[in-house]
Amino acid sequence: MLDKLSHINDEGDVQMVDVSSKSISTREAIATGKVIMCLETLQKIKEGNTPKGDIIATAKIAGIMAAKQTSQLIPLCHPLPLSKIAVKITANEDLPGYDIEVIVKTNAKTGVEMEALTGVSITALTLYDMAKAIDKSLTITDIQLISKTGGKSDSGLAMAMAQTN
């Protein structure tokens, strides 16, 4: 099994994947997640009626900053020149809570899946941190990669993921 893991070399040692022979291509990844809370908390955040100010704007900035720092947080990730990071936070009264979507794009030799997932994770953690004083029932859930495009696995993974969601 070790020979099938890209971050393990022939001797079984950890390594950063060599992408030098890959072609530069436009790559995009979309990840999502949810923060579940009491309906009253959702309403307070939507109204801007919280002790910590604009929670949504702060969480968006945190998600963007996190995606940019992914290679410093996850040891074997390549540092990438990101050309787009979009964080969308949508109120969902059916949860109740917020749906989070992060889209990350680059022109590089490797994909941006980890950047999108890191962006969603930190966006959710920031929402949690800023709302925990008014709601002890907060739950972060369903963080997942929805799609990735670009590179040699472009159409296969994006189509497979779209079919399962």
Side-chain angles (χ1 to χ4, degrees), residues 43-58:
Q43 295 303 329
K44 284 182 180 182
I45 294 171
K46 284 171 58 176
E47 294 165 4
N49 185 18
T50 64
K52 292 193 178 183
D54 189 342
I55 290 176
I56 301 303
T58 303

Side-chain angles (χ1 to χ4, degrees), residues 42-101:
L42 174 65
Q43 295 303 329
K44 284 182 180 182
I45 294 171
K46 284 171 58 176
E47 294 165 4
N49 185 18
T50 64
K52 292 193 178 183
D54 189 342
I55 290 176
I56 301 303
T58 303
K60 285 180 180 181
I61 292 168
I64 291 167
M65 290 174 65
K68 290 167 48 175
Q69 298 300 316
T70 300
S71 67
Q72 294 179 30
L73 299 169
I74 300 175
L76 301 177
C77 283
H78 293 83
L80 297 173
L82 303 180
S83 54
K84 175 184 180 179
I85 304 168
V87 177
K88 182 178 178 183
I89 303 172
T90 307
N92 181 342
E93 292 191 9
D94 293 334
L95 281 175
Y98 284 92
D99 294 311
I100 302 165
E101 178 184 79

Side-chain angles (χ1 to χ4, degrees), residues 91-126:
N92 181 342
E93 292 191 9
D94 293 334
L95 281 175
Y98 284 92
D99 294 311
I100 302 165
E101 178 184 79
V102 174
I103 302 169
V104 181
K105 194 172 186 179
T106 190
N107 291 309
K109 294 183 176 196
T110 190
V112 287
E113 302 92 324
M114 297 309 299
E115 288 75 8
L117 288 163
T118 300
V120 165
S121 299
I122 298 302
T123 300
L125 286 167
T126 302

Side-chain angles (χ1 to χ4, degrees), residues 31-34 116-118 120-122 124-125 140-145:
T32 60
K34 299 177 186 308
L117 288 163
T118 300
V120 165
S121 299
I122 298 302
L125 286 167
I140 296 170
T141 186
D142 297 334
I143 294 175
Q144 59 188 330
L145 182 67

